[in-house]
Structures are given as C-alpha cells and as structure tokens.
Amino acid sequence: MSLYQAPLKDMQLLVGLAVAKAGLRDLPELAEFDDELIGAVLEEAGKFAQGELAPLNAVGDTQGCRFDNGKVTTPEGWKEAYQQFCEAGWMGLALPADFGGQSLPKFIAQPVNEMWLSANLAFVMFQALTQGGSEILLHFGTDEQKARYLEPLISGRWTIAMALTEPNAGSDLGALSTKAVPQGDGRYLIKGQKIFITYGEHDMAENIVHLVLARTPDAPAGSRGISLFAVPKIRIESDGSLGEANDISCTGIEHKTGLHGSPTCSISYGDNDACYGELIGEENKGLAAMFVLMNEARLSCGMQGVSIGEMGYQRAHEYAFERTQGSDFETGKQRVLIAHHPDVARMLLSMRSEVMGLRSLGYLIAALIDKADFTGDAHERRALHARVALLTPIFKAYATERGNLMAGTTIQVFGGMGFVEETGVAQLMRDARITTIYEGTTGIQARDLVFRKIQSDEGAAINALLNEIRTLAESLRSDSELAGLGQLLGDICTGVANAVAPIVNRDGANLLQLNAGAVPLLEALGTLCCAWQLAELAQVAQSRLSEGQDPDYHRNLMALAKFYFAHSVPNIAARLATFRQADAGIEQYRFDI
Amino acid sequence: MSLYQAPLKDMQLLVGLAVAKAGLRDLPELAEFDDELIGAVLEEAGKFAQGELAPLNAVGDTQGCRFDNGKVTTPEGWKEAYQQFCEAGWMGLALPADFGGQSLPKFIAQPVNEMWLSANLAFVMFQALTQGGSEILLHFGTDEQKARYLEPLISGRWTIAMALTEPNAGSDLGALSTKAVPQGDGRYLIKGQKIFITYGEHDMAENIVHLVLARTPDAPAGSRGISLFAVPKIRIESDGSLGEANDISCTGIEHKTGLHGSPTCSISYGDNDACYGELIGEENKGLAAMFVLMNEARLSCGMQGVSIGEMGYQRAHEYAFERTQGSDFETGKQRVLIAHHPDVARMLLSMRSEVMGLRSLGYLIAALIDKADFTGDAHERRALHARVALLTPIFKAYATERGNLMAGTTIQVFGGMGFVEETGVAQLMRDARITTIYEGTTGIQARDLVFRKIQSDEGAAINALLNEIRTLAESLRSDSELAGLGQLLGDICTGVANAVAPIVNRDGANLLQLNAGAVPLLEALGTLCCAWQLAELAQVAQSRLSEGQDPDYHRNLMALAKFYFAHSVPNIAARLATFRQADAGIEQYRFDI
C-alpha cells in the first residue's frame, strides 16, 4: 500500500485560484511567488511528506510516547525527522527572514501545512505551535524578546508549548487560576497546574518555551484578568545561552485514543517556588495575544479536516481499485472491483468533493490573510479581516466535522479490514476525533459565528459573502451546462439570508433558538461554502475545457460539482429548517426526572 | 462514574406499546407474559447487566484477548461471567424449553438483549451466535442433530462460531472456496481457511460448534453451491460425550480498533485432512439456512446501535450534569453546568430522541416476529413477514449508522476528556465502528431494501407501511397540540411514496441512480421510522398525560418528538432529494486519471 501521495496537481490548481480570487496576482511584493516557485516548493514539501513523515505515522501510533520520571520519549525516528524538518527550513517557512525564516506568504504555507498534516498529524503538531507562538512574539513581544526567542524557535533548536487549559478551565479560559507574581526585576514567579499541553515535554529540541496564561495578584476576575508569560523549560542567560533548569515538571502524559505520537502533557509550574517567566505584551491582555495564535491554530485545525479527508480518500480509492467483491450492478459480471459498485463510488466522490471544496476554502482564507497584510487600503483591509473572521469558525468546525465523517467513510469502504488496526485507516478515525474539540469545540465555533461574526457587525460580513456568492450564481445561470448549479446556489443564498435575518435583528431574536441552532446554521454555511468553491471550480474547469486543456481532469471537476450539488447541497435547506426551529422541545424538556 | 443503568422505565413502556401495536395482547399463548412478568425479567436482567457485565467492559477493552499457540485467553473475569450468565439461564431465554431454554417471546428477549449489548458488547457476542445458530438447527437440523447440539448449546457448555468469511469472500459469500468432501458415512471432510470468526476460539466453554459454509465437490459455482456444516472443535461421540480434538486450528486473532474483548479468529480447517463435519439442511442450500441466522443477527446488530446510543446518552448526560464550564446563555451567570448550554442540551436530546425512536422500532420488529409465529391467518403471516423483512435492513443499517454518530456526540459532550481513554467513551466509538460493516454493510442493507424489499413485491410492503403511518398522521392532525407533527408526517409519506415510485416501476428505473441512491433512501426511511415511532409515542404520552399519569415523564416524551421533528425530520426531504438525483456526477467521473 502506498502511504501518501501529495496531491500536487489539485494543490497547484487551487492555490492559483485562491491567489487570483484574493487579488494577489498584481501585488509587486508577491511577484516573486509565481507558479513556478509555488510548484517547486510544493514538490519539495511533497517529497519530504511522502518520504520522511508518512512512514513514521504508523510507528507513532503503535509506539506512542513514553513517560518516565518527568521525561517524555517520542517514538522511534521522531527526533531524526524533526532534525531533518528543521534543517530543511520547513519550520520557518512563513516566518520572517530577519529571524531565519523564509518569509513565504500564507497561501503557499497552507498547502505545505496540509501535506505535513496528511502525512503525519501527530508528529507535526509542534509546527503550528511554533508558527503561532512566533506570531504572538512578533505582534506582542519587545525587540529584546523577539531577539531572544525567535531565531532559536525558527531554527527549531527550541519549540513552543501553549499552556492554557487547567482541569477547571477548558473551553472557559476565564476560569483559570495559575498565578504569576512580579518579582520587581521584570521576572514573574509562576505557580499552577496545566493540562492538555501538546508537546509540553519531549526529547526533540534543546529547550521548550512555554507560553503560559496566568493571573497576576491584582488581576480582575474572569477573562479580563489573564496575562501571557514566556516560561522556558531551561532558563535563558542574558547572552541567549541556556542556563539551569527552570522549576517546571511534566507530571504525566495522556493515554489518548488517537494522536499517540504527540505527547499531551500535564505540567506543574513552580512546585519549588522557583519557576520564572516574563510577561509577553500587556498585563491582563493575555487572551487577546492568545487569540493571534488561536486564529492561526483554527485555520491549521480546519486543514487537519482536509488532510484527514485527503488521506482517507487516497486510502479508500486505492483499496477500492484493488479489492474485488460482488458482481457488476448492470452486467452481473462476477468479481468486479468494488469501486464499480455505485455505493462505493458514491462514498469515494463524497470524500473527494468535500476535500476539494474544503481545501479550496482553506487556501482562499490563507490568500485573503496575505492580501489583508499587503493592501494599503484600510477599508479593504477591514473588509478582508471581516471575511476571514467570518470564514474561520466555519472552516475550523465544518472541515473537522467532515474530517471525522470522512475517516468513518474510509473505514466503511475497507469493510471488515478497516476495523483491523494494521490497515491503518482506523488510526485516521482515532486521530481525527480530537479535531472537533481542540482549539474551540464545534459548539464554540458556532457561537462565535452567530454572535461575534454575524450579529455583532449586523450582518455586514455575511451579507457581503452572500452577495459574492450570488454574483457567481448569476454568472453560472447564463451557462447552459452549469445553469442548474447557479439556480440552486442563488436559491440557497436567499434561504441563508432569510435564516440569518433574526440574528441581526436582535429584537426578534430568540436566544435559545440562536444558541441551539448555531451548529446547524454553521453546518449549512459550511456546505454552502463548499458548494460555492466547487461551483467556481466547475466554472473554471469548463472554461479551461473549452480551451482544450486536460479534458479528463477538468471534466472530473465539473462532475464533482454536480455530485456535490446532488449529494450534499440538499442538506443546506434541512439544516436551515432546523436552525429556524432549533428550540423546539428543548425548553420543555426536563433532564432531571 | 456510574457504568450503566438499565433504562427499565423506557423499556417497559416501549415493550408494552410494541405488544399492543403488534396485536399480541389477546393471544392466549402469550397470556402469561403480562406486564408483571415482563417487568420482573427486565429487572433481573438489568441487575445482571449492571452488576456483572458492565464492570468488565473496560477490562475487556484494556486487556483484550491473548493468542498463544492456537489458544485464545479471554480477559480477566470473562470466564466467570460466562458461567454466571449461563447458570442464570440467560443463554436460552428465547429458545425452546424442550432443550433447556425458557421459551420467552422475542419481544421480551429484545430489551434483555439490549441490556447485554449496552453493558458489555464485546463480551456478549457469543449470545447472538448461540441464539441464531440454535434457530438454524431448529429449522434445518434433523431430530438427531437437534438432540445432539441444542441442549449443550442452550446450557452454555458449548458455543457456536459462524465460519462464513474467507479472505476473498466477504460481502460476496458466493465467492467462497472452502471444500467439503462426503465420506460416505454421513461425515464430510472439511478443508479451508476462514477469517473474522467471532469467538471462533476461546476458553469459556467445553466445545465450540463451528457452522461452516463450504462447497461439496460437484456444487455449482456461486451462491447456489454453498452448503452448511456443523464442525465441532472437539468431536462428539454417539452418546453425546466429547471425544478427540477435531482437525481445527486457530491461527491468530485480529488486532482490532474496538471490541477487544471479543476474539476475532482466523481458523484453518483440515490442515491434516482430518476435519470432519456433518451437513445441516440440504446440500447447496447453505445460504438459505444462514439467512435465518443473518436476519436474527441483523436485528441484534440494530440493537447494538440502540445500545451504544443509550450508553453514550447516559455517560454524556451524567457528565453534562457534573461538569461546570462557561456562563449561562441568558443570565450570564458564571460556571454553569454544561447541560445548561443549549448546544449541549441539543446534543443530549439528539441522542435521547434517536435512542427512543430506534428502540421503539427494534422492539416493534421483535413483537411482529412473535405475532407472525403465533397467528393462524396465513395472509396476516405473509404481511407480517413482509413488514419485518422491510424493516430489518432499515433498522440494521440506520440504527448502527446513528450509533456511530451518537458515540461521536458523546465524545463531543466530554470535550478533551472524551479523547482520553480512561473516560471510557472513546471505547464506544471504537466498538461501534464495526456495526455498520458486519452482518452486511450499510450499502448491502440498502441494496436489499431497494431491490429485494421494495422492488420485488412491487412496493406492496412499503405502501402498506406508508398507509399505516398516514393513518397515524391523520389522527395526529385532529389534535391541536400534535397537529403540526401530523401534517409533517403526512407530507413526508407523500414524499417517500413519490421517491420510491420509480423503483417499483422497473421500466423507468435508472439502475445507477437506484444503486447510488440506495443508502440516502435508507437514511430517509430510517428517519421516517423514528419519526413514526416518536409521534406515536407522543400521542400515547398525551393521552396518559390527560389522565394525569406521570406528567413530567410524559411531557418529556412529547418534547422529544417535537425536538426530533425539528432536528432530524428535515433531513428526510434532503435525503430523498439526493436519492432522486443520486447518479449526478458519478457516471461522468473517471477515477482512473
């Protein structure tokens, strides 16, 4: 069995479209990042993902991490792969060249990230942490702090750990109780227990910089009293060299159903009252800083859904073209490949269409962030930020929910063999299961969508999105082949606009309904976003087809859109119907009897 | 944490309704099985499930089975629990008293079965095998064979193993190649390799009777040339005592993602050309015999979906009322129980409503089988068989698909803690994953539904079902409180009738569409069946409420129906829309580029 093939052709197509849609083609700052360079980077990353990371994926799952007396040992080969990853410069791909990075735009980093996540999700979790942690330092760190941390992080000599969760503070970070007491010399004494810290302790790097959320003595209660501290595992001397161990101890790692290769640590800070850290950004503004990383992490998390779906599709596709079973549904011919059974083809296309729609959305978001970074027009930047802010919870939650279902579909294609661990597809299901939970559960993303992304700007961002999709729908309608998709897409936009109106009109809003219906609404919008991306892709494919380019490939893209509109788009109306009456039965129900 | 509480109140209610609906109340043969007796049996079973089986569930998952040199050792406590199970008479609950069973009707055995499956699915898999295997022997065995096998099986001294699958014959049993050569003395020499044999080897009983599908030398190719043989692990002397070991060897057990406590064996028959078995039923009629067991197994499998959903609901409910996190959505009060978050309440009610709808369906099917067994009216018997035959694939596939989703929802309610194995809910997801595959995948159930259950009788059974649901819808419409549900239910029946018309009308049928749309159609019918059951339940609840009975409980049942009609029923129209255009994109798509 082949482990993973980087889908370079799909990637390059979708990166190109995202760049064009975001209006990045004409930016002189990005002129050097032409198709050729993009292709070269993707190809190199693909080789590394296939050749180095994918073979370690099952190793990580089987061996897991070992915890012994405060030390964590990563699986066989992890350490060497980490060295290679850093030496090849992948860690700093989208981080500033000033600190040793490569300053590539996000629209290239996103597909590269996708390959790491497909090839070995558990392994590569350190990378999003270093990326996000470095961005926090870039935004909120002093020049001295940037100088102290960034180069070692980007080179991979040190890694980042994010210490947020406490046993009683998970989704609700405002409830955390870790203390930080100023020592008058710029240092803070940190004391508290944190859990669920990815790569909080490991054996791959010289040092680990813990970014710890904690409260100073006079901090206000709740989320307005949280500050962010950099707390190194090994103390850093003024010349940047490493000194003595800080008072940090790893007290255990979780025994998880998936992601065995990624150590999830419980950490105790300041057991001996000698754990020192320094403040990053302003006091009591820790959550705002953390949101820089969180938004980054949510995008990466959404890509995990895509990556798991892609892996699942590849494995299922391969198996469906190897395994013979049953007879042909039309001719009755015996022992056909299972791919020829329409139900198996349906499962394969459901995965393929969702992966392409979600991937396209993920790449678009990355390109929009790049565009916002480079545009000089403040109005445009605001609109871009609003678009990204709207799409982020949809992408994070919907892609990971679908990723879970796609992992299940993969196992279903494998039949009984999928239930046997050696096949490797059960690992996809187990690994995927956390993606709808960490970095904000699906429920939290949905609340964010309804209240912060739709209600708080009175529907401006959602209406702008719907208008853009309507414009596409209009242009599809004039095409004989794609008119049906255009008609449907336009109708859905009307349905969505009607459904969200009560959110914006606060007076008429039924709070129970909006809260209970948030997830169904998010699912409707997630499906709409995929439909939008796939319809646009079909339009591009048709135009290229008319120029005679790569007919099989482009015909497939058109078929994919038609499949998605028949198999997934009908769910939008259903989810909107549920959203509108989501409080039904809930208020009356008494759980306590 | 509590492990499992048998939901006796719900069970007794739904058994009572199923008995009434199936018209079993007036049967003199069943007069002794009154509410009191039912209640007593359920209570005893509940105690055993909670007290003996549930505590071993995590043990089985953690330890798994051990394979060593042909021997399989079950997890700690398994053997003792098996002894107790048999001694208490649970094995033969629904098997004839003539052979040591208790001759209870299926409508009581079904909820009892549900409890075993909830408490410890991996453990109790032997029970459905003995039940189904015994029914094969009762139907197809000679008097001598019944005398030989049934008492030891029902007492639990021996167990049954079903040896169907071969590496190249899974869903397509017609492809199997195991040989059976007659020896002229009534014995057959068996030779072949079988895989995926549940409890094919274990240490809990004195002997294991393998029911092996094999081909005699002159058998026709395909599924018409398969015969069924009883092949004991230890040879049986003419006086019924055990003799020497037969030539059967277990070559390994699977390393599965779930059901660790249930050994899934590879077995080699006749390595030394000394594996003897005897024919059960007629030569070349093995598949027909196997279908007796298969129908039994499919019902049991559907109950697994219910059982997993019930377990998941109980665990999620308990956690949601222990865990505080976040603030109240209306008052802003800090640190509320997560059950008070509308999205968590939504998840809980989605599980609760599906479990109640599916459980009601499962109990109804059992009662209809009982009714068919007892009715003297051949016409009625045929109609009952047709109804059961129609509902079986829907129940098997839909309940297990929902069971998988409910296991995922349980983990989602637990958040990060759900991903940690010690919580025990990840096991639900892992165990559940095989249920949509074994005993016929969801795709196979859906084909069975479309072609054998709807098309082959020209829609008679489905139309009879729709008419019954329409009658309910009509009577709901005259009730002010439930009129909305009645209206919807009636509309759905019209939608389903329109959608299935092309199946019955063979001329107009598009084979690709029917095959690719079979699963979406099955999902639509599964949801309709739950809606039907829940609407009927709401009607009963309202009538009892008007009599002042248990108002909180009955109000909850009405709320549950309203919730389901808002949250799940809208999916029916979506799935039907997909069914109607299920070929879209599939024919055009080329996987080979």
Side-chain angles (χ1 to χ4, degrees):
Chain A
M1 85 197 180
S2 90
L3 294 168
Y4 171 64
Q5 293 289 322
L8 296 176
K9 188 173 184 175
D10 295 336
M11 287 179 153
Q12 186 126 16
L13 169 70
L14 294 181
V15 169
L17 292 180
V19 163
K21 280 187 276 186
L24 291 170
R25 282 261 182 253
D26 317 320
L27 285 181
E29 296 92 331
L30 295 175
E32 59 178 308
F33 303 107
D34 58 7
D35 288 350
E36 198 179 339
L37 183 110
I38 296 170
V41 173
L42 296 184
E43 199 176 328
E44 278 309 304
K47 278 186 203 158
F48 193 82
Q50 292 166 203
E52 308 300 330
L53 301 188
L56 292 175
N57 194 31
V59 177
D61 187 55
T62 313
Q63 293 188 358
C65 291
R66 214 171 63 237
F67 174 77
D68 187 28
N69 199 21
K71 299 280 170 219
V72 171
T73 309
T74 52
E76 225 175 296
W78 238 235
K79 210 168 163 174
E80 295 72 19
Y82 179 81
Q83 289 293 341
Q84 288 176 276
F85 187 85
C86 298
E87 278 163 21
W90 295 118
M91 189 75 100
L93 196 70
L95 289 168
D98 296 350
F99 299 98
Q102 309 214 31
S103 293
L104 258 62
K106 284 195 192 301
F107 73 76
I108 304 180
Q110 190 80 315
V112 169
N113 189 25
E114 182 197 321
M115 293 188 235
W116 310 147
L117 298 169
S118 275
N120 196 333
L121 176 57
F123 173 76
V124 87
M125 302 213 66
F126 59 79
Q127 201 265 340
L129 290 166
T130 291
Q131 176 75 29
S134 299
E135 293 198 14
I136 287 182
L137 291 162
L138 284 164
H139 274 76
F140 299 97
T142 61
D143 286 347
E144 216 186 326
Q145 288 171 332
K146 290 180 203 172
R148 180 149 51 245
Y149 295 111
L150 286 170
E151 186 281 326
L153 286 170
I154 291 173
S155 71
R157 285 187 289 120
W158 304 353
T159 62
I160 286 275
M162 298 298 319
L164 287 70
T165 305
E166 299 177 7
N168 290 312
S171 295
D172 181 7
L173 287 172
L176 65 82
S177 68
T178 294
K179 297 266 174 301
V181 180
Q183 301 298 295
D185 57 358
R187 299 185 306 166
Y188 287 73
L189 206 48
I190 311 290
K191 196 173 176 74
Q193 317 285 329
K194 297 277 183 180
I195 59 169
F196 291 171
I197 308 178
T198 300
Y199 277 105
E201 172 57 27
H202 62 85
D203 58 358
M204 305 193 306
E206 292 169 15
N207 200 5
I208 301 171
V209 180
H210 296 243
L211 294 179
V212 179
L213 289 182
R215 293 181 184 286
T216 52
D218 305 321
S223 57
R224 289 199 180 84
I226 294 173
S227 307
L228 180 67
F229 301 88
V231 187
K233 172 183 166 185
I234 314 285
R235 293 190 188 130
I236 303 158
E237 303 291 333
S238 52
D239 65 353
S241 67
L242 297 181
E244 294 187 348
N246 205 350
D247 179 15
I248 294 180
S249 60
C250 176
T251 56
I253 60 175
E254 302 293 344
H255 173 218
K256 309 187 301 293
T257 198
L259 296 186
H260 295 164
S262 159
T264 302
C265 304
S266 303
I267 306 268
S268 191
Y269 299 91
D271 277 353
N272 305 304
D273 296 322
C275 177
Y276 293 99
E278 62 175 319
L279 184 69
I280 303 291
E282 286 178 55
E283 227 174 83
N284 298 330
K285 296 284 170 66
L287 272 196
M290 193 54 73
F291 266 104
V292 167
L293 177 139
M294 206 83 93
N295 279 324
E296 187 75 35
R298 286 175 178 181
L299 283 183
S300 171
C301 207
M303 286 312 294
Q304 293 171 23
V306 176
S307 300
I308 288 164
E310 172 68 32
M311 248 332 256
Y313 174 72
Q314 290 192 14
R315 296 299 312 277
H317 178 276
E318 183 182 22
Y319 188 75
F321 280 91
E322 278 169 15
R323 170 82 174 164
T324 56
Q325 196 75 183
S327 56
D328 187 273
F329 75 102
E330 282 178 317
T331 64
K333 184 183 160 241
Q334 292 292 308
R335 318 217 62 174
V336 297
L337 290 170
I338 62 168
H340 294 152
H341 299 315
D343 187 55
V344 174
R346 176 188 68 82
M347 291 192 274
L348 292 176
L349 287 184
S350 75
M351 288 193 265
R352 172 99 177 113
S353 58
E354 287 185 350
V355 166
M356 286 298 273
L358 291 166
R359 173 184 283 139
S360 182
L361 184 63
Y363 291 6
L364 176 63
I365 296 173
L368 294 174
I369 296 173
D370 287 328
K371 175 71 173 174
D373 284 348
F374 284 107
T375 183
D377 179 339
H379 178 77
E380 188 186 23
R381 191 179 314 115
R382 261 198 308 277
L384 285 162
H385 281 156
R387 171 67 57 88
V388 169
L390 175 71
L391 293 178
T392 297
I394 297 173
F395 180 60
K396 192 280 175 187
Y398 192 66
T400 55
E401 290 287 344
R402 302 314 295 184
N404 271 276
L405 294 180
M406 288 190 270
T409 303
T410 303
I411 296 175
Q412 195 67 21
V413 171
F414 273 76
M417 291 307 296
F419 196 59
V420 174
E421 282 288 357
E422 281 77 2
T423 323
V425 294
Q427 187 193 342
L428 285 175
M429 169 186 80
R430 292 186 288 96
D431 284 354
R433 198 57 201 80
I434 190 63
T435 59
T436 58
I437 296 170
Y438 62 14
E439 312 303 347
T441 64
T442 299
I444 285 173
Q445 305 300 326
R447 271 182 60 93
D448 179 56
L449 172 68
V450 167
F451 296 103
R452 279 190 292 271
K453 305 302 168 60
I454 295 179
Q455 191 174 72
S456 72
D457 76 353
E458 293 175 338
I462 183 85
N463 285 325
L465 176 69
L466 290 175
N467 282 337
E468 187 169 329
I469 300 177
R470 277 194 198 100
T471 307
L472 171 68
E474 211 40 68
S475 85
L476 289 169
R477 238 177 255 149
S478 62
D479 179 298
S480 64
E481 174 108 24
L482 301 174
L485 306 194
Q487 180 66 43
L488 257 170
L489 204 53
D491 292 348
I492 298 161
C493 288
T494 307
V496 170
N498 290 339
V500 300
I503 302 179
V504 176
N505 170 16
R506 288 161 192 251
D507 294 342
N510 166 343
L511 266 183
L512 178 63
Q513 179 238 320
L514 296 190
N515 277 278
V519 168
L521 179 68
L522 185 144
E523 289 171 338
L525 290 176
T527 314
L528 170 60
C529 284
C530 286
W532 165 40
Q533 295 302 304
L534 288 169
E536 209 161 52
L537 201 52
Q539 194 176 45
V540 169
Q542 197 190 32
S543 130
R544 295 191 182 178
L545 199 55
S546 71
E547 293 159 11
Q549 286 182 51
D550 206 348
D552 286 338
Y553 184 70
H554 289 113
R555 258 187 234 112
N556 269 1
L557 292 176
M558 294 178 70
L560 220 48
K562 285 176 190 168
F563 177 89
Y564 193 81
F565 272 73
H567 284 258
S568 296
V569 166
N571 298 330
I572 298 175
R575 301 286 76 207
L576 291 178
T578 294
F579 170 70
R580 284 191 298 265
Q581 50 185 333
D583 52 337
I586 297 185
E587 198 156 29
Q588 302 93 307
Y589 198 86
R590 289 192 52 187
F591 285 102
D592 58 340
I593 61 156
Chain B
M1 86 198 179
S2 88
L3 294 168
Y4 171 64
Q5 292 289 322
L8 296 176
K9 188 174 184 175
D10 296 336
M11 287 179 154
Q12 186 125 15
L13 169 70
L14 294 181
V15 169
L17 293 180
V19 164
K21 281 188 278 185
L24 292 170
R25 283 261 182 249
D26 317 321
L27 286 180
E29 297 92 331
L30 295 175
E32 58 177 309
F33 303 106
D34 59 6
D35 288 350
E36 199 178 339
L37 183 110
I38 297 170
V41 174
L42 296 185
E43 199 176 327
E44 277 309 304
K47 278 185 204 160
F48 192 83
Q50 292 165 204
E52 307 301 329
L53 301 188
L56 291 174
N57 193 31
V59 176
D61 187 56
T62 314
Q63 292 188 0
C65 291
R66 214 172 63 236
F67 175 77
D68 187 29
N69 199 23
K71 299 280 171 219
V72 171
T73 310
T74 52
E76 223 173 298
W78 238 235
K79 210 167 163 174
E80 294 74 19
Y82 179 80
Q83 289 294 341
Q84 288 178 275
F85 186 87
C86 298
E87 279 163 21
W90 295 119
M91 189 75 99
L93 196 70
L95 289 167
D98 296 351
F99 300 99
Q102 309 214 31
S103 292
L104 258 61
K106 283 196 193 299
F107 72 76
I108 304 181
Q110 190 80 313
V112 170
N113 189 25
E114 183 198 319
M115 293 189 236
W116 310 148
L117 299 168
S118 275
N120 196 333
L121 176 57
F123 172 77
V124 86
M125 304 212 66
F126 58 78
Q127 202 267 338
L129 291 166
T130 291
Q131 175 74 30
S134 299
E135 294 198 13
I136 288 182
L137 290 162
L138 283 164
H139 274 77
F140 301 98
T142 61
D143 287 346
E144 215 187 328
Q145 288 172 332
K146 288 180 205 173
R148 181 149 49 248
Y149 295 111
L150 285 170
E151 188 280 326
L153 286 170
I154 291 174
S155 71
R157 285 186 290 120
W158 304 354
T159 62
I160 286 275
M162 299 296 321
L164 289 69
T165 306
E166 298 177 6
N168 291 314
S171 294
D172 182 9
L173 287 173
L176 65 82
S177 68
T178 293
K179 297 266 175 300
V181 181
Q183 302 298 297
D185 57 359
R187 298 185 308 165
Y188 287 72
L189 206 49
I190 311 290
K191 198 176 175 71
Q193 318 285 329
K194 297 278 182 177
I195 59 169
F196 291 171
I197 308 177
T198 300
Y199 278 104
E201 173 57 27
H202 63 84
D203 57 359
M204 306 193 305
E206 291 169 18
N207 200 5
I208 301 171
V209 181
H210 296 243
L211 293 179
V212 180
L213 290 181
R215 295 183 182 286
T216 52
D218 304 323
S223 57
R224 289 197 182 84
I226 295 173
S227 307
L228 180 67
F229 300 88
V231 188
K233 172 183 165 186
I234 314 285
R235 292 187 189 134
I236 303 159
E237 303 293 332
S238 52
D239 65 354
S241 66
L242 297 181
E244 294 188 346
N246 206 349
D247 179 16
I248 293 181
S249 61
C250 176
T251 56
I253 59 174
E254 301 293 345
H255 173 218
K256 310 187 298 293
T257 198
L259 296 185
H260 295 164
S262 159
T264 303
C265 304
S266 303
I267 305 268
S268 191
Y269 298 91
D271 277 354
N272 305 305
D273 296 322
C275 178
Y276 293 99
E278 63 176 317
L279 184 68
I280 303 292
E282 286 178 54
E283 228 175 83
N284 298 331
K285 296 283 169 69
L287 271 195
M290 193 54 73
F291 266 105
V292 168
L293 178 138
M294 206 82 94
N295 279 322
E296 188 73 35
R298 286 175 178 179
L299 283 184
S300 171
C301 207
M303 285 312 294
Q304 294 171 22
V306 176
S307 300
I308 288 164
E310 173 68 33
M311 250 328 259
Y313 173 72
Q314 289 192 15
R315 297 298 314 276
H317 178 276
E318 183 182 22
Y319 188 74
F321 279 90
E322 279 169 12
R323 170 82 174 164
T324 57
Q325 196 74 183
S327 55
D328 186 272
F329 75 102
E330 282 178 315
T331 65
K333 183 181 163 249
Q334 292 292 309
R335 317 215 63 173
V336 296
L337 290 170
I338 62 169
H340 294 150
H341 299 316
D343 187 55
V344 174
R346 177 188 66 81
M347 291 192 273
L348 293 176
L349 287 185
S350 75
M351 287 193 265
R352 173 101 177 111
S353 58
E354 286 183 351
V355 166
M356 285 297 273
L358 291 165
R359 173 184 284 138
S360 183
L361 183 65
Y363 291 6
L364 176 62
I365 296 173
L368 294 174
I369 296 173
D370 287 327
K371 175 72 174 173
D373 284 349
F374 286 105
T375 184
D377 178 340
H379 179 76
E380 188 186 23
R381 191 179 313 115
R382 263 200 307 279
L384 285 163
H385 282 156
R387 172 68 57 88
V388 169
L390 175 70
L391 293 178
T392 297
I394 297 174
F395 180 59
K396 192 282 176 186
Y398 192 64
T400 56
E401 290 286 345
R402 302 314 294 183
N404 272 276
L405 294 180
M406 288 191 269
T409 302
T410 303
I411 296 176
Q412 194 69 20
V413 171
F414 273 75
M417 289 309 296
F419 195 59
V420 173
E421 282 288 356
E422 281 78 1
T423 323
V425 293
Q427 187 194 340
L428 285 176
M429 169 186 80
R430 292 186 288 95
D431 284 355
R433 198 57 200 82
I434 190 63
T435 60
T436 58
I437 295 169
Y438 62 14
E439 312 303 348
T441 64
T442 300
I444 284 173
Q445 304 300 326
R447 271 181 61 93
D448 179 56
L449 172 68
V450 167
F451 296 103
R452 278 189 293 270
K453 306 299 169 63
I454 296 179
Q455 191 173 73
S456 72
D457 75 353
E458 292 175 340
I462 182 88
N463 285 327
L465 177 69
L466 291 175
N467 282 337
E468 186 169 329
I469 300 177
R470 276 194 199 100
T471 307
L472 170 69
E474 210 42 67
S475 85
L476 290 168
R477 238 177 254 150
S478 62
D479 178 298
S480 64
E481 174 107 23
L482 301 173
L485 306 193
Q487 180 67 44
L488 257 169
L489 204 53
D491 292 350
I492 297 161
C493 287
T494 308
V496 170
N498 291 338
V500 299
I503 303 178
V504 177
N505 170 16
R506 287 160 193 254
D507 294 343
N510 167 344
L511 265 184
L512 179 62
Q513 179 238 319
L514 296 189
N515 277 279
V519 168
L521 179 68
L522 185 144
E523 288 171 339
L525 290 176
T527 313
L528 170 60
C529 285
C530 286
W532 166 40
Q533 295 303 303
L534 288 169
E536 210 161 51
L537 201 52
Q539 194 176 45
V540 169
Q542 198 190 29
S543 129
R544 296 192 179 178
L545 199 55
S546 71
E547 294 160 9
Q549 286 183 50
D550 206 348
D552 286 338
Y553 183 71
H554 289 114
R555 258 187 233 112
N556 268 2
L557 291 177
M558 294 178 70
L560 220 48
K562 285 177 189 167
F563 178 89
Y564 193 81
F565 272 73
H567 284 258
S568 297
V569 166
N571 298 330
I572 298 176
R575 301 287 75 207
L576 291 178
T578 293
F579 170 70
R580 285 192 297 266
Q581 50 185 333
D583 53 334
I586 296 184
E587 196 155 32
Q588 301 94 310
Y589 198 86
R590 290 192 52 189
F591 285 103
D592 57 340
I593 61 157

